[in-house]
Amino acid sequence: MTTLSPTPRSTVRRLPLRARTDRADLYAVLDAGMVCHLGIVLGGAPVVLPTGYGRIDDTLYLHGSTGAATLRAAARGEPVCVTVTHVDGIVHARAVMHFSMNYRSAVVHGVPRLVTGDAERLDGLRAITENMSPGSWAHARGPNRRELAATAVLALELAEASVKVRTGPPGDDDEDVAAGGVWAGVLPVRTVFDPPQPCPLLPPDVPVPAHVTDRH
Amino acid sequence: MTTLSPTPRSTVRRLPLRARTDRADLYAVLDAGMVCHLGIVLGGAPVVLPTGYGRIDDTLYLHGSTGAATLRAAARGEPVCVTVTHVDGIVHARAVMHFSMNYRSAVVHGVPRLVTGDAERLDGLRAITENMSPGSWAHARGPNRRELAATAVLALELAEASVKVRTGPPGDDDEDVAAGGVWAGVLPVRTVFDPPQPCPLLPPDVPVPAHVTDRH
C-alpha cells in the first residue's frame, strides 16, 4: 500500500489542500523527527507527553519504563495518538489572522501492541536508538537482561494516519495585497546541531565518532 | 502563586529529579515555544494536533476555526492537555538504554473556557500572534468582523501543570564508564531562523522590519 487510505478520523478536514496522501510523505515526516507527542486517555482526560520513537516499515515503535502510567495504559490496549511536527517557518501575512506556520506534521491513530518477542523487542529498541542517533546502536553497549526487563516496547501499525504540509508564502486577501504597506513573507525555521560536548567522565583522547560529527 | 502546586495528575512520577516546580520555569518553557501539541478526547480516543498559542499571565490562549472538531470539543467543556517541548540535545550514553534527550517540556491540564468577551478575544489573539512573531500585531492589519466571527478563542488557566527539564551529560552505569571504549556526550540541538523570504507579491522596495530581522 503506497497511499494512505483515510478513515473518517484520519481525513484532513481543515484546509484539505494541505493533506498529503502518499505513504512516502508519512515516512519522511516521521523519519525526520526526534520526538513525538504521544496522546493517551487517562481517567477520561487526555495526556500528551513527548517521547522518542523509531520506525521499521509500517510499524512505529515506542518504549518506556514498565512503571510509566502512559506506557502501561497503552500496553493495556488503550487507543493512542502519535503526532510528529516539524516547524519550517513563520508565515508573516499582511493581516494578523492570516499568520500561519510552514510545517510538516504526521498524526497516527491506533491501539498499540505490547511487543513480547525478544527479537522484535530488540528490533524496536534499535529503531528507537537509531532514530535518535543513527549509528549509535552499533557504537554503544547493547541492552542487558536487567535493562530489558525494565523496558516496555510498544508497536503501533501505520494503518490510520494523516500528513499535513504547509509550504510557501502567506495566503493574504487581495485587498490587503493591494493596500500594501505591510511586510509579508516567511521567516524560515531550522533545527541545527551544535558541536558535540563530550561527557566530562570521558578520557580526553577519545575521538568523537563520525556518526556524531557528521550529523546535520 | 509563584510555585506550581502538583495535583495527582501533574505530579511528575517518572524521574522526579527532572521536575521543576517554579512557576517561572513554566512560563519560560511556554514562552520559548512556537507550537504546542493540543490533546483532546474525540469518540473515546485521543487526538493530538499541533497548534499555535499565546500566554498572558496565568492564562494560555488557543484559537482555531469555529468549524474544527477539536476546537468545538474543547469549547464544549471537554478536558484538554497542552504540551510544549523543546529538544536541546541528544544524549549519547555508553549504553544504548541510557540514551536520552536534553529537553524542556511543559504539560498543562484543564478544561478550557470559550472566550466570549470582545476585549479578551482580541487580547488572546494578540498573545497568539505575538508568541508566533513578536511585533507583528502592531505591524499587520488587525482582525476584521468577518475574521473574528470565524475564529474561536479558548482560554486555559495555568492551574494544573508540570515542567520537566533534563540537562547535562549522560547518566551511565559506573561499569560502562570504567570499561571505556565508547564515546559519550551531548549533541546539542538548536532552533535557528534563516534569512527572511519576502512574499513574491511584495514590491521589491519594502524593507524587512526589525521585528523580523532581529529575531533569534
Side-chain angles (χ1 to χ4, degrees):
Chain A
M1 187 166 65
T2 58
T3 58
L4 304 171
S5 305
T7 62
R9 187 164 56 178
S10 69
T11 298
V12 174
R13 293 169 197 287
R14 303 305 312 163
L15 306 172
L17 287 176
R18 294 184 189 167
R20 301 293 173 96
T21 52
D22 271 359
R23 196 156 274 273
D25 292 321
L26 175 64
Y27 296 162
V29 172
L30 294 175
D31 295 353
M34 292 185 285
V35 159
C36 69
H37 280 83
L38 167 67
I40 190 151
V41 183
L42 287 180
V47 175
V48 178
L49 296 175
T51 187
Y53 66 95
R55 183 182 71 84
I56 300 176
D57 300 330
D58 282 326
T59 306
L60 206 65
Y61 288 97
L62 305 164
H63 75 323
S65 160
T66 51
T70 44
L71 260 286
R72 283 208 310 267
R76 274 198 307 268
E78 300 281 341
V80 303
C81 181
V82 171
T83 300
V84 174
T85 305
H86 308 279
V87 174
D88 294 325
I90 302 170
V91 182
H92 293 69
R94 292 157 181 87
V96 296
M97 297 304 282
H98 284 295
F99 269 63
S100 185
M101 299 277 184
N102 281 340
Y103 66 95
R104 294 159 284 148
S105 71
V107 178
V108 183
H109 305 275
V111 174
R113 157 177 68 82
L114 181 67
V115 180
T116 51
D118 288 345
E120 190 184 1
R121 274 165 58 82
L122 279 177
D123 286 345
L125 293 171
R126 184 192 302 115
I128 294 166
T129 303
E130 289 288 298
N131 191 59
M132 212 172 349
S133 175
S136 285
W137 185 264
H139 182 74
R141 172 177 68 72
N144 62 31
R145 196 172 302 186
R146 180 178 50 78
E147 290 168 339
L148 287 172
T151 304
V153 180
L154 297 177
L156 180 64
E157 302 310 319
L158 298 176
E160 190 180 356
S162 60
V163 177
K164 280 179 90 172
V165 177
R166 191 203 188 281
T167 60
D172 273 307
D173 296 341
D174 293 342
E175 312 87 86
D176 290 322
V177 175
V182 179
W183 186 81
V186 174
L187 183 64
V189 175
R190 196 161 43 95
T191 298
V192 297
F193 299 104
D194 284 329
Q197 300 168 339
C199 176
L201 301 179
L202 210 60
D205 58 345
V206 179
V208 185
H211 72 270
V212 178
T213 53
D214 294 355
R215 187 147 186 205
H216 51 80
Chain B
M1 187 164 66
T2 59
T3 59
L4 303 171
S5 305
T7 62
R9 187 165 55 179
S10 70
T11 298
V12 173
R13 293 170 196 288
R14 303 305 314 162
L15 306 172
L17 286 177
R18 294 183 189 168
R20 302 294 174 96
T21 53
D22 271 359
R23 195 156 276 273
D25 292 321
L26 174 63
Y27 296 162
V29 172
L30 294 175
D31 295 353
M34 291 185 285
V35 160
C36 69
H37 281 82
L38 168 67
I40 190 151
V41 183
L42 287 179
V47 176
V48 178
L49 296 176
T51 188
Y53 66 95
R55 182 182 73 83
I56 300 176
D57 301 329
D58 283 327
T59 305
L60 206 65
Y61 289 97
L62 305 165
H63 75 324
S65 161
T66 51
T70 42
L71 260 286
R72 283 208 310 267
R76 272 199 310 266
E78 301 281 342
V80 303
C81 181
V82 171
T83 300
V84 173
T85 305
H86 308 279
V87 175
D88 295 324
I90 303 170
V91 182
H92 292 70
R94 292 157 181 88
V96 295
M97 298 304 283
H98 284 296
F99 268 63
S100 186
M101 299 278 184
N102 281 340
Y103 65 96
R104 293 160 286 148
S105 71
V107 178
V108 182
H109 306 274
V111 175
R113 156 176 70 83
L114 181 67
V115 180
T116 53
D118 288 345
E120 190 183 2
R121 273 165 58 82
L122 280 176
D123 285 345
L125 293 171
R126 183 192 300 115
I128 295 165
T129 303
E130 289 287 299
N131 191 59
M132 213 173 348
S133 174
S136 285
W137 185 264
H139 181 76
R141 172 177 67 72
N144 62 31
R145 195 171 304 185
R146 180 179 49 78
E147 291 167 340
L148 286 172
T151 303
V153 180
L154 297 176
L156 180 64
E157 302 310 320
L158 298 177
E160 191 181 356
S162 60
V163 177
K164 281 179 89 172
V165 176
R166 191 203 188 280
T167 60
D172 273 307
D173 296 341
D174 293 342
E175 312 87 85
D176 291 323
V177 175
V182 179
W183 185 81
V186 174
L187 183 65
V189 175
R190 195 161 45 95
T191 298
V192 296
F193 299 104
D194 284 331
Q197 300 168 339
C199 175
L201 301 179
L202 209 61
D205 57 345
V206 179
V208 185
H211 71 270
V212 178
T213 54
D214 295 353
R215 188 148 184 203
H216 51 81

